[in-house]
């Protein structure tokens, strides 16, 4: 390994003030941490990514990064400790360089990573930083006690790059000396006598810290994504399944007790099948039956979430995203309304969409036709999809 990115994501995000730590909050449809991970995973010079997470966040992390080839390690009580534990976890396959980065900085650009790597060719360490432009005051009790000369002052960003061996040793020695006050890795390096160069940071490479920062990040990533994906598509789908003797129906992945079940090869989840077809249709793909032939035994009793994930994955592979989905379920019974919130939550999790982008409605067929006679259930779906 030449360059490994070490992403620190073990903080609790207390200043952002929500129960779910900021790195797992959805921003423009994806967890914050996912945006950060993708920036490093898609960089051609980054060979591996190691993420430091908090104990207890294993399942949450898995949901964020299941498709990425990376095993997390558990961090500590401070950023410094999380950094050290992450570095030590790489000792088995030590990289030449390590780029230590805050998960809370999702706007890191490829060119900034390049600049830090270029700095590392000439120095033991290199960090991006911004020259301080404001006048600085020291005001310990709210009253100004002095003005600090800003000449030569920089405000540090990440990724901070180091020769792996030297920063790992510096962290171990600092911990052994009982020092626990370092707020970034360059400070640990400085203490250990490692020369660290400053490369020019980017104003956009902010650290998401408060709930206002989260909102600003959402706005910015949404705008970037809309600009990047101007090609608007609409797909539609329809599915119907007949009732047969049974005790439950599965709709949008949720089992609802009923005196019948839907007949079908898979779990016969008609709304989810209709939605899968709408997504496939939006990108000109053939329908669900072609992708998952009913003649193949492996799809017998299959959970339809597999089909839906597959369709969403095809859109993602093309660099696009789903803007919204909408479903109408038509049946006389069971009553669907009480289950709609759970169904929406399930679809929004599968599609990584905020719940306000997932519509589900139900209606009866006014006792008319096969649906009116209770012989089956039908579902329509539409999806808006945007492609580059
Ligand atoms: N971090 C970490 N382990 C810790 C503390 C922080 O890995 N014990 C990580 C955070 O997840 C974040 C980065 O270090 O990506 C920068 O820290 P900060 O912005 O302070 O995040 P939090 O500590 O989570 O937030 P807060 O200080 O508001 O609680
Ligand atoms: Mg913190």
């Amino acid at each position: 390994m030449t360059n490994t990115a070490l992403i620190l994501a073990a903080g609790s995000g207390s200043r952002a003030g929500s129960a779910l730590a900021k790195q797992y909050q959805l921003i423009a449809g994806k967890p914050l941490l996912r945006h950060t991970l993708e920036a490093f995973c898609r960089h051609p010079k980054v060979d591996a990514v190691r993420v430091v997470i908090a104990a207890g966040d294993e399942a949450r992390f898995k949901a964020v990064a299941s498709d990425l080839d990376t095993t997390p390690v558990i961090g500590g009580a401070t950023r410094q400790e999380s950094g050290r534990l992450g570095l030590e976890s790489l000792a088995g396959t030590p990289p030449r360089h390590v780029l230590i980065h805050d998960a809370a900085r999702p706007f890191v650009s490829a060119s900034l990573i390049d600049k830090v790597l270029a700095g590392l060719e000439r120095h033991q360490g290199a960090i991006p930083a911004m020259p301080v432009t404001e006048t600085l005051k020291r005001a310990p009790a709210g009253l100004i006690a002095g003005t600090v000369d800003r000449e030569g002052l920089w405000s540090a960003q990440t990724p901070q790059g180091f020769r792996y061996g030297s920063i790992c040793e510096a962290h171990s020695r600092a911990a052994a000396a009982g020092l626990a006050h370092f707020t970034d890795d360059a400070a640990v390096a400085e203490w250990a006598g490692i020369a660290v160069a400053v490369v020019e940071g980017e104003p956009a490479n902010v650290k998401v810290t408060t709930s206002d920062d989260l909102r600003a990040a959402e706005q910015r990533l949404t705008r970037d994504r809309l600009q990047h994906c101007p090609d608007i598509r609409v797909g539609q789908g329809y599915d119907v399944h007949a009732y047969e003797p049974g005790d439950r129906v599965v709709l949008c992945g949720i089992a609802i007790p009923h005196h019948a079940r839907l007949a079908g090869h898979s779990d016969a989840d008609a709304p989810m099948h209709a939605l899968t077809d709408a997504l496939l249709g939006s990108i000109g793909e053939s329908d669900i039956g072609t992708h998952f032939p009913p003649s193949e035994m492996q799809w017998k009793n299959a959970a339809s979430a597999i089909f839906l994930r597959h369709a969403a994955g095809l859109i993602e592979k093309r660099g696009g995203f789903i803007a919204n989905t909408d479903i109408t379920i038509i049946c006389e019974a069971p009553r669907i309304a009480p289950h709609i919130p759970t169904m929406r939550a399930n679809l929004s999790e599968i599609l990584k969409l905020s719940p306000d982008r997932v519509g589900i409605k139900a209606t009866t067929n006014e006792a008319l036709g096969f649906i009116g006679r209770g012989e089956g259930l039908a579902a329509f779906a539409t999806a808006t999809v945007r492609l580059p």
Side-chain angles (χ1 to χ4, degrees):
M1 295 287 172
T2 308
N3 302 316
T4 292
L6 181 64
I7 312 292
L8 304 182
S12 60
S14 57
R15 282 170 290 175
S18 54
L20 180 65
K22 60 189 178 186
Q23 59 271 34
Y24 296 104
Q25 300 256 351
L26 285 187
I27 309 274
K30 285 184 207 170
L32 180 70
L33 174 57
R34 176 81 197 188
H35 290 282
T36 309
L37 288 178
E38 285 179 1
F40 284 92
C41 288
R42 70 172 166 245
H43 194 287
K45 292 192 189 129
V46 174
D47 310 299
V49 174
R50 166 63 44 93
V51 188
V52 185
I53 63 169
D57 277 347
E58 292 84 352
R60 231 169 253 140
F61 178 73
K62 203 165 167 222
V64 170
S66 58
D67 59 327
L68 305 176
D69 178 27
T70 180
T71 313
V73 289
I74 303 300
T78 60
R79 187 190 182 284
Q80 182 187 335
E81 203 183 338
S82 295
R84 177 176 58 80
L85 292 167
L87 288 166
E88 285 171 356
S89 81
L90 299 171
T93 46
R96 195 157 93 88
H97 294 146
V98 63
L99 297 172
I100 308 175
H101 185 69
D102 294 330
R105 291 183 195 268
F107 298 111
V108 54
S109 71
S111 58
L112 189 63
I113 295 173
D114 280 329
K115 268 193 246 174
V116 173
L117 287 174
L120 271 183
E121 292 306 324
R122 281 170 284 118
H123 304 276
Q124 291 266 323
I127 72 159
M130 297 297 296
V132 172
T133 55
E134 322 250 19
T135 299
L136 296 176
K137 303 291 182 195
R138 204 175 325 101
L143 274 183
I144 293 176
T147 299
V148 181
D149 182 6
R150 68 169 176 242
E151 182 61 29
L153 289 188
W154 296 77
S155 97
Q157 300 186 337
T158 72
Q160 302 194 339
F162 304 93
R163 307 267 163 88
Y164 171 75
S166 48
I167 192 67
C168 196
E169 199 210 323
H171 261 281
S172 306
R173 275 177 40 211
L179 298 174
H181 63 282
F182 297 113
T183 52
D184 75 349
D185 306 284
V188 179
E190 181 195 335
W191 170 80
I194 299 169
V196 181
V198 164
V199 301
E200 198 177 340
E202 292 180 355
N205 183 31
V206 292
K207 181 161 71 70
V208 173
T209 305
T210 63
S211 56
D212 279 348
D213 295 340
L214 276 168
R215 265 191 295 277
E218 163 84 29
Q219 275 169 10
R220 200 171 123 197
L221 286 164
T222 305
R223 198 185 55 220
D224 290 355
R225 216 159 61 138
L226 292 180
Q227 266 170 12
H228 181 66
C229 291
D231 184 0
I232 301 174
R233 309 291 187 89
V234 173
Q236 59 114 3
Y238 170 75
D239 195 28
V240 60
H241 283 275
Y243 280 126
E244 64 182 19
D247 59 5
R248 72 184 62 187
V249 293
V250 178
L251 300 175
C252 298
I254 305 301
I256 300 172
H258 192 47
H259 55 70
R261 64 175 202 168
L262 293 168
H265 189 67
S266 65
D267 61 8
D269 190 332
M272 216 186 258
H273 295 177
L275 184 54
T276 303
D277 264 351
L279 294 178
L280 293 171
S282 74
I283 52 169
E285 285 279 340
S286 50
D287 67 10
I288 187 170
T290 319
H291 284 267
F292 304 97
S295 55
E296 288 180 9
M297 275 315 287
Q298 56 174 318
W299 310 122
K300 182 143 177 63
N301 298 324
S304 296
I306 300 170
F307 312 151
L308 190 60
R309 273 200 191 94
H310 174 76
L314 291 176
I315 292 165
E316 205 175 315
K317 254 193 213 133
R318 292 178 58 164
F321 68 94
I322 303 166
N324 83 301
T325 65
D326 192 18
I327 290 176
T328 302
I329 300 168
I330 311 162
C331 64
E332 302 299 319
R335 251 178 69 71
I336 308 294
H339 304 282
I340 286 180
T342 344
M343 287 158 62
R344 281 175 78 202
N346 190 40
L347 291 186
S348 76
E349 192 186 318
I350 293 171
L351 296 173
K352 301 182 201 118
L353 272 182
S354 62
D356 70 316
R357 292 174 184 275
V358 179
I360 302 177
K361 309 170 301 307
T363 179
T364 69
N365 216 31
E366 296 292 324
L368 296 169
F370 72 91
I371 295 174
R373 292 190 297 274
E375 292 165 16
L377 172 152
F380 290 96
T382 53
T384 314
V385 164
R386 297 186 64 136
L387 294 183

